[in-house]
Amino acid sequence: MAAALGEDEIENDDYYSLLNARREATQEELKASYRRLCMLYHPDKHRDPELKRQAEQLFNLVHQAYEVLSDPQSRAIYDIYGKKGLEVEGWEVVERKRTPAEIREEFERLQREREERRLQQRTNPKGTISVGVDATDLFDRYEEDYEDAPSGGFPQIEINRMHISQSIEAPLTTADTAVLSGSLSTHNGNGGGSINLTLRRVISAKGWGELELGAGDTHGPLLGMKLFRNLTPRCFVTAQCGLQFSSRGVRPGVTTVLARHLDKNTMGYLQWRWGVQSAMNTSVVRDTKTSHFTLALQLGIPHSFVMMSYQYKFQDEDQTKIKGSVKSGFFGTVVEYGAERKISQHSVLGATVSIGVPQGVSLKIKLNRASQTYFFPIHLTDQLLPSAVFYATVGPLVFYLAMQRLVVIPYVRAQKEQELEKQQENAASEIARRKQEAETAVLLMQESVRRIIEAEESKMGLIILNAWYGKFVTDNSRRHERAKVIDVTVPLQCLVKDSKLILTETSKAGLPGFYDPCVGEEKGLKLLYQFRGVMHQVLSGDTEPLRIPKQSHRIDADT
């Protein structure tokens, strides 16, 4: 493997960009790029001592890049983990006859083992906070009851229930995990809590088992066991039994679930539950990239129902989803509709309107923040009032749009700007170093560029008149922003060969004579060139491949 450069030597993190080679480049393509750069940076071509020293550093860097990419083993490791992967000790004794695919597989296996060990040292906290709100006074109040009220007749909104639960996981061994969970609940001034300890063991690749111990001030001690087993690659079963001890005696319970893959995206479930609420349930769940559909039927005591729900997933950055469901049974009928959307990197906000007989109208707001869930069910009315349905539907939408426009978007924009400023401040010294290296490379290119231009002019070939790389401001709404570009005319002209310039899909910042003038921001490459006496112009993205000349780049004579 290539030896690491000293602290005073030039470094480059992207070997492919340095050689202007595709990641899928063949050995012949790599060798051609390497030979051309060697001819450009060979120290013997420069007499000035300072230029000779700088050329030697660049020459060694190009040699290092080619030495890594020309060796299948080193290249496979570099493709996965970059330069850090090459610094791992011990790989020099790996059998050289291994194929790149085998090396990638071995690296991925080691990475999984490291991740598993890292996870064993962490907990996996999960929590739920549910706050029930009684807002029926907004719609079901009687005015005559509040004529003499000291508060002036304002409707009363009360919190009538609350539930808090939390759990943490602690890996004991590679096969054993302990889960500690607890919950507290209160409803109209009465409540209680419970605590549970679950021990889970992975028995084999096909199954695992759990033992649960619990205690609470309302239900008494709990003893339970759960087993999971893959019967076939397409079918699995779970069985759960438990004993609940209370002042009324021991109440046993058994639950079994049989599931089967009906096709690639569809699962079928058959559940049987015996105990306090005995029932049999069957359901079909179809989950695709754009939708989620569930059809369920339950026969039991006291709850029997049929339920159908559908969810559509928009393919946007915010992962927007809209959903609707209908559930009808002995308890009545409930229709629900709602939506959810990602509001930040780790937060998802959702709202659901529930309309039922005899339940009335409710609004349910849910916020998922990482592994924590905050749930706010708001009971609006016991009757089916159109006004309650209207406000439950329009109110959250208007509130969300206002908060998104006035709070979320400005906050996210400010956070991104702060992170970008911090990133640029931390990279200031690196940018200065890269700039100096780029200027050195341009000096070394001058003689070669002069010869290339003379050869291209003699045959009316490709001449790079001007080239800029960096951040361009093309949107009128961003005119206040300042463009951040550097002149890369010489480095690009140096890459012209046989009246052609070919750039691969890697970032241009790693090319000789280039550097990143705006770290963390979107960049592009703008060229003004002449071919056969005709002016051409093109604007290309940073990682887009580019091949010139092209007929579509021509500038009309009238322009």
Side-chain angles (χ1 to χ4, degrees), residues 257-291:
V257 178
L258 177 65
R260 178 177 175 81
H261 286 273
L262 304 180
D263 61 33
K264 181 181 179 181
N265 300 308
T266 308
M267 288 286 296
Y269 298 89
L270 182 63
Q271 182 187 69
W272 175 74
R273 185 172 66 247
W274 173 81
V276 180
Q277 295 183 350
S278 299
M280 179 169 285
N281 182 296
T282 181
S283 60
V284 177
V285 179
R286 180 171 178 80
D287 191 10
T288 65
K289 186 178 180 180
T290 59
S291 65

Side-chain angles (χ1 to χ4, degrees), residues 107-389:
F107 248 72
E108 291 170 358
R109 184 187 66 80
L110 293 175
Q111 178 70 3
R112 286 195 299 269
E113 290 182 357
R114 285 193 293 267
E115 288 296 329
E116 289 176 0
R117 289 194 298 267
R118 193 176 294 114
L119 287 174
Q120 289 175 11
Q121 300 172 358
R122 301 178 181 175
T123 61
N124 185 21
K126 296 179 181 179
T128 300
I129 297 178
S130 177
V131 179
V133 180
D134 184 359
T136 56
D137 202 30
L138 290 171
F139 299 96
D140 293 343
R141 63 199 301 263
Y142 292 94
E143 296 295 338
E144 58 270 20
D145 294 341
Y146 295 91
E147 292 178 354
D148 300 327
S151 60
F154 289 104
Q156 296 183 358
I157 299 177
E158 301 177 349
I159 296 177
N160 59 358
R161 66 176 63 194
M162 184 176 292
H163 175 81
I164 300 175
S165 63
Q166 186 75 27
S167 68
I168 57 173
E169 294 184 4
L172 305 178
T173 66
T174 55
D176 298 322
T177 303
V179 182
L180 181 64
S181 61
S183 65
L184 291 172
S185 300
T186 178
H187 184 201
N188 291 330
N190 299 318
S194 64
I195 186 169
N196 294 70
L197 175 63
T198 302
L199 300 176
R200 182 187 306 132
R201 162 165 284 194
V202 178
I203 303 171
S204 66
K206 293 185 177 181
W208 49 266
E210 284 184 354
L211 178 64
E212 182 180 6
L213 303 173
D217 57 357
T218 56
H219 298 292
L222 169 68
L223 176 62
M225 185 174 63
K226 184 177 182 179
L227 296 174
F228 171 87
R229 176 75 177 181
N230 278 312
L231 302 179
T232 67
R234 298 172 59 89
C235 182
F236 68 85
V237 62
T238 62
Q240 183 176 3
C241 60
L243 296 176
Q244 182 74 61
F245 300 89
S246 66
S247 58
R248 299 180 181 179
V250 179
R251 295 186 295 178
V254 177
T255 301
T256 60
V257 178
L258 177 65
R260 178 177 175 81
H261 286 273
L262 304 180
D263 61 33
K264 181 181 179 181
N265 300 308
T266 308
M267 288 286 296
Y269 298 89
L270 182 63
Q271 182 187 69
W272 175 74
R273 185 172 66 247
W274 173 81
V276 180
Q277 295 183 350
S278 299
M280 179 169 285
N281 182 296
T282 181
S283 60
V284 177
V285 179
R286 180 171 178 80
D287 191 10
T288 65
K289 186 178 180 180
T290 59
S291 65
H292 182 93
F293 174 78
T294 301
L295 178 63
L297 172 65
Q298 176 172 302
L299 300 175
I301 301 174
H303 298 296
S304 294
F305 63 85
V306 60
M307 187 269 291
M308 181 175 65
S309 68
Y310 178 80
Q311 182 182 86
Y312 182 78
K313 309 172 186 177
F314 290 89
Q315 303 303 305
D316 57 357
E317 294 182 358
D318 297 324
Q319 302 177 8
T320 307
K321 301 175 184 178
I322 57 174
K323 54 187 176 181
S325 67
V326 178
K327 187 176 182 181
S328 181
F330 292 165
F331 53 84
T333 301
V334 177
V335 177
E336 292 187 346
Y337 57 89
E340 69 176 43
R341 193 173 193 181
K342 188 175 181 181
I343 59 175
S344 69
Q345 184 177 1
H346 303 290
S347 301
V348 177
L349 179 64
T352 303
V353 179
S354 177
I355 307 170
V357 178
Q359 292 86 354
V361 181
S362 298
L363 172 63
K364 303 174 183 178
I365 299 175
K366 183 171 68 172
L367 173 65
N368 289 331
R369 174 68 178 173
S371 59
Q372 303 293 315
T373 301
Y374 304 90
F375 186 54
F376 302 91
I378 305 173
H379 189 199
L380 299 178
T381 175
D382 295 325
Q383 306 175 26
L384 297 183
L385 298 180
S387 58
V389 176

